[in-house]
Amino acid sequence: MNQIATPPKMINKPSKRMRIDLQLVADLVSPNTRVLDVGCGDGTLLSYLMGFKKVDARGLEISMSRVRSAVSQGLSVIQGNLETDLKDYPDGAFDYAILSQTLQATVHPQEVLGDLLRIAKRAIVSLPNFGHWRVRWALLVGGRMPMTSNLPDQWYNTPNIHLCTILDFVDLCKAMNIHIEKGFALSADGLKQNFSATGWFANLFSEQSVFVLTR
Amino acid sequence: MTPTSAPIPQTTATDPILGPMVVLAEPLVLQSGETLADVTMAYQTYGALNADKSNVIVLCHALTGDQFVCGQHPITGKRGWWDDSVGLGKVIDTNRYFVICANVLGGCLGSTGPKEINPATGRAWGLQFPVITIRDIVAAQAKLLDQLGIDKILCVVGGSMGAMQALEWAHRYPSRVFAAVPIAGSYRHSAQNIAFHEVGRQAIMADPEWSHGNYLEEGRVPKRGLAVARMAAHITYLSETALHRKFGRKLQDRSALTYGFDADFQVESYLRHQGYTFVDRFDANSYLYITRAMDYFDLASENGGVLANAFKGSSVRFCLVSFTSDWLFPTAESRAIVHALNAVAANVSFVEIESDKGHDAFLLDEPDFHQTLSGFINGCADAHGVAKA
């Protein structure tokens, strides 16, 4: 009789290899904490955090098919829009709120950032850097809106409506009294680069960055 | 498949057709303030209770459902209402889980309700039966589980009125419930839904055979009223798309309009059939009482007007499911529950399933829904340490 039943999917092991930048984010999370992954996709990072860090992991995702896939793996994910739904969560509900490569696609990035740090003690935010030399070069020489491996869309169909450079982001944090606890400069492939994540050098040579923010 | 018996306590009787029943040892104090003694609960179980009793799934049936979840129904001869989803190797796998479903208090398939005998008078209760609520329905289930020696529930699952019960379980008995899956439901019955119920009740009460609720005593059956109630309600369980796909404007056994009031259209014939088969298996007074229980349900107003208060500090894991074409319990209702649960940082999952089959989609073979349901329940069972099948 037992062979009739399909074996339940393993939820304690990540189903696929994670992007390198997600691995970096995962390494920043302490074990046995409460985490909200905002824009969690099909739950790759959540699944890893649950399995390897025994984290109380929750997710918010706008795509219904990805939510279905995440919930089907036994993950706690709801379908919703971060710009409206983050407001529901009470203050300090989580230890970490994670936002990967999404802030630049929000309508009100400042409010989103404020909400992340309201509902969690720490926010882990990753961003593409619009100040990278290739981007500057493409605009300077090509005279058209830049397209790179990190920013692959045309100006008219890109979801990224609030692109910024690293220095822009550092300025915003200052203006909002947000403390940058840690910062990592990353290559296009998500590999860590050995220079300050918040300086002019990173602003020119990092394709993306990851920041750990606190109030 | 044959239902496996739960451990049998002394108060259990067995009806030759309806199976096991338990008479509750303590009287039930109802939300209305009235007390109901010697409450009988008729129930069915599927699968086997494991040694540490950690694999219990409570299923809560909908308005006109009953305890016969899967396999052949002893009265209608048809498949149980969730035969697609519950059984060996199915979404809720009875190899792994011990599934229990009780006929609701106020129902008409063995549990105490208006068609049963009032011990005080020796006659059918009829309208002497006290008005019951979702809280009472769930309280009776909780007492049934007590008497069956079951304390903790791995997961309580229900669609429609069953979703109301699942929410009530999680609200009222959070320490007994590990997870709750309210499907296609709401935390309160909307004005539109109360309105539809009122149409149904008025149809029943307008039938002279109903006889002020005394039809059983007088050997009558308000068939027409109950059938009309069912016909009206049945429309709300479907969707315009589903009705159009199934029937369109197709004519029933005729090639031209008859210029009369026969069932010219297939959809009319279908509804009449739905109405008239329903009266053979359902009691009209039960229909009045159970629809009323749904109308009265409002978890927000019971908690100071703030739904989130109902789940403050809750450790229950929730999975809410809605269907895109369900206009009886639209997605917005489930989303309101999700917002409330987020407000107390509860552990919640929420999925809206794309389906054009309307409210009834939760009873049907919807692969996306089934995948979600099994993923959530199996995930809970893994987290709870329930042995795999």
Side-chain angles (χ1 to χ4, degrees):
Chain A
M1 256 193 246
N2 281 348
Q3 64 267 36
I4 301 170
T6 45
K9 277 187 193 133
M10 291 295 291
I11 58 156
N12 290 334
K13 295 214 177 95
S15 49
K16 59 198 90 152
R17 271 192 64 167
M18 282 199 296
R19 293 196 327 248
I20 299 172
D21 59 315
L22 283 187
Q23 184 64 55
L24 172 69
V25 170
D27 291 344
L28 291 167
V29 172
S30 305
N32 302 309
T33 52
R34 289 163 68 91
V35 175
L36 178 67
D37 186 359
V38 182
C40 64
D42 60 5
T44 309
L45 177 63
L46 286 178
S47 170
Y48 178 92
L49 290 173
M50 267 175 74
F52 290 105
K53 299 231 170 168
K54 305 292 170 225
V55 153
D56 181 354
R58 317 281 177 78
L60 178 69
E61 167 61 41
I62 198 160
S63 148
M64 196 43 91
S65 62
R66 288 185 188 146
V67 172
R68 235 178 12 242
S69 144
V71 175
S72 301
Q73 297 170 60
L75 302 169
S76 296
V77 174
I78 67 168
Q79 195 277 335
N81 181 337
L82 79 159
E83 306 226 39
T84 51
D85 294 354
L86 286 182
K87 305 218 176 320
D88 291 336
Y89 294 93
D91 297 358
F94 299 96
D95 295 300
Y96 300 93
I98 296 170
L99 188 66
S100 303
Q101 306 286 340
T102 304
L103 191 65
Q104 76 283 354
T106 61
V107 181
H108 302 291
Q110 202 176 351
E111 284 178 27
V112 169
L113 210 48
D115 266 331
L116 292 178
L117 283 166
R118 180 184 61 79
I119 64 177
K121 288 187 197 124
R122 287 185 170 79
I124 302 178
V125 175
S126 68
L127 287 164
N129 173 24
F130 209 63
H132 188 263
W133 68 265
R134 251 192 276 267
V135 173
R136 301 188 198 196
W137 181 257
L139 186 58
L140 182 71
V141 174
R144 290 189 169 81
M145 283 303 282
M147 285 167 63
T148 67
S149 56
N150 270 5
L151 302 164
D153 303 305
Q154 292 280 5
W155 66 272
Y156 49 82
N157 64 9
T158 179
N160 301 322
I161 53 175
H162 277 127
L163 284 160
C164 66
T165 69
I166 288 176
L167 293 181
D168 285 330
F169 185 73
V170 171
D171 286 348
L172 176 64
C173 289
K174 262 186 207 139
M176 292 178 70
N177 284 321
I178 291 170
H179 171 58
I180 299 177
E181 192 177 80
K182 287 177 193 160
F184 302 93
L186 304 182
S187 71
D189 300 330
L191 292 170
K192 249 192 254 185
Q193 295 164 318
N194 284 328
F195 40 79
S196 158
T198 54
W200 68 270
F201 200 78
N203 200 39
L204 195 55
F205 292 108
S206 298
E207 299 223 44
Q208 47 182 334
S209 40
V210 174
F211 297 104
V212 181
L213 310 171
T214 62
R215 274 287 186 191
Chain B
M1 56 167 296
T2 40
T4 316
S5 293
I8 297 171
Q10 290 184 332
T11 43
T12 292
T14 301
D15 182 275
I17 297 166
L18 299 179
M21 292 178 180
V22 161
V23 178
L24 300 184
E26 292 170 9
L28 204 59
V29 180
L30 302 175
Q31 196 174 344
S32 66
E34 292 202 45
T35 302
L36 206 50
D38 302 323
V39 171
T40 299
M41 292 295 284
Y43 66 97
Q44 289 288 304
T45 67
Y46 307 90
L49 187 60
N50 63 9
D52 60 357
K53 301 183 179 181
S54 63
N55 67 338
V56 178
I57 291 185
V58 171
L59 296 185
C60 302
H61 69 71
L63 168 60
T64 64
D66 53 49
Q67 66 271 40
F68 295 97
V69 174
C70 54
Q72 197 188 25
H73 194 287
I75 308 288
T76 66
K78 293 180 182 164
R79 295 157 74 212
W81 56 273
W82 231 10
D83 197 52
D84 272 336
S85 303
V86 182
L88 292 173
K90 294 189 184 173
V91 177
I92 296 177
D93 186 355
T94 49
N95 270 320
R96 188 177 193 192
Y97 303 114
F98 175 68
V99 174
I100 178 162
C101 182
N103 186 213
V104 294
L105 179 70
C108 50
L109 219 57
S111 290
T112 294
K115 106 178 205 292
E116 304 302 325
I117 302 298
N118 176 358
T121 62
R123 296 165 165 200
W125 277 98
L127 291 196
Q128 298 305 305
F129 194 73
V131 167
I132 46 143
T133 63
I134 297 292
R135 191 197 295 183
D136 301 331
I137 284 171
V138 170
Q141 288 169 15
K143 283 181 187 287
L144 167 66
L145 291 196
D146 289 343
Q147 282 181 233
L148 294 176
I150 294 168
D151 181 28
K152 296 271 164 53
I153 300 169
L154 171 66
C155 197
V156 52
V157 185
S160 195
M161 185 179 84
M164 292 176 167
Q165 295 167 64
L167 286 171
E168 174 69 17
W169 262 109
H171 166 54
R172 192 94 27 201
Y173 308 92
S175 60
R176 291 183 75 166
V177 176
F178 185 75
V181 186
I183 303 157
S186 179
Y187 64 97
R188 56 113 180 81
H189 220 210
S190 68
Q192 177 172 269
N193 289 0
I194 294 170
F196 278 121
H197 276 175
E198 177 60 4
V199 169
R201 286 190 293 262
Q202 288 299 330
I204 290 167
M205 294 190 281
D207 187 336
E209 297 295 308
W210 179 65
S211 187
H212 300 283
N214 290 323
Y215 54 90
L216 286 175
E217 290 296 309
E218 297 167 14
R220 307 157 83 175
V221 185
K223 282 189 179 179
R224 290 176 182 206
L226 184 57
V228 170
R230 175 63 170 179
M231 287 165 77
H234 198 79
I235 300 167
T236 69
Y237 304 151
L238 305 173
S239 69
E240 190 185 7
T241 317
L243 275 174
H244 189 77
R245 185 181 50 229
K246 205 164 179 180
F247 305 109
R249 291 181 52 84
K250 281 182 281 210
L251 300 180
Q252 178 70 26
D253 302 331
R254 63 202 69 191
S255 52
L257 301 176
T258 62
Y259 296 95
F261 297 103
D262 268 0
D264 273 0
F265 295 100
Q266 278 187 8
V267 66
E268 294 172 296
S269 169
Y270 169 79
L271 275 184
R272 289 183 188 191
H273 174 77
Q274 288 295 327
Y276 282 105
T277 51
F278 182 62
V279 300
D280 293 334
R281 69 174 179 91
F282 215 85
D283 174 61
N285 284 337
S286 261
Y287 196 85
L288 301 183
Y289 279 91
I290 301 174
T291 53
R292 206 63 182 144
M294 290 178 76
D295 292 350
Y296 279 4
F297 187 64
D298 186 347
L299 265 189
S301 83
E302 283 179 27
N303 289 278
V306 181
L307 179 61
N309 290 346
F311 302 108
K312 228 172 219 172
S314 180
S315 61
V316 177
R317 294 183 182 208
F318 291 87
C319 180
L320 285 112
V321 182
S322 69
F323 297 89
T324 49
S325 57
D326 183 351
W327 56 279
L328 194 63
F329 290 94
T331 291
E333 308 264 318
S334 289
R335 210 179 273 284
I337 300 168
V338 172
H339 286 310
L341 289 167
N342 278 343
V344 292
N347 189 328
V348 50
S349 297
F350 165 55
V351 179
E352 182 190 41
I353 304 292
E354 259 180 62
S355 163
D356 65 5
K357 291 172 186 154
H359 182 60
D360 265 355
F362 84 90
L363 297 168
L364 305 172
D365 184 18
E366 291 281 344
D368 283 347
F369 169 47
H370 286 174
Q371 196 194 357
T372 302
L373 191 63
S374 67
F376 178 78
I377 294 176
N378 292 337
C380 288
D382 292 347
H384 203 48
V386 179
K388 293 188 165 67

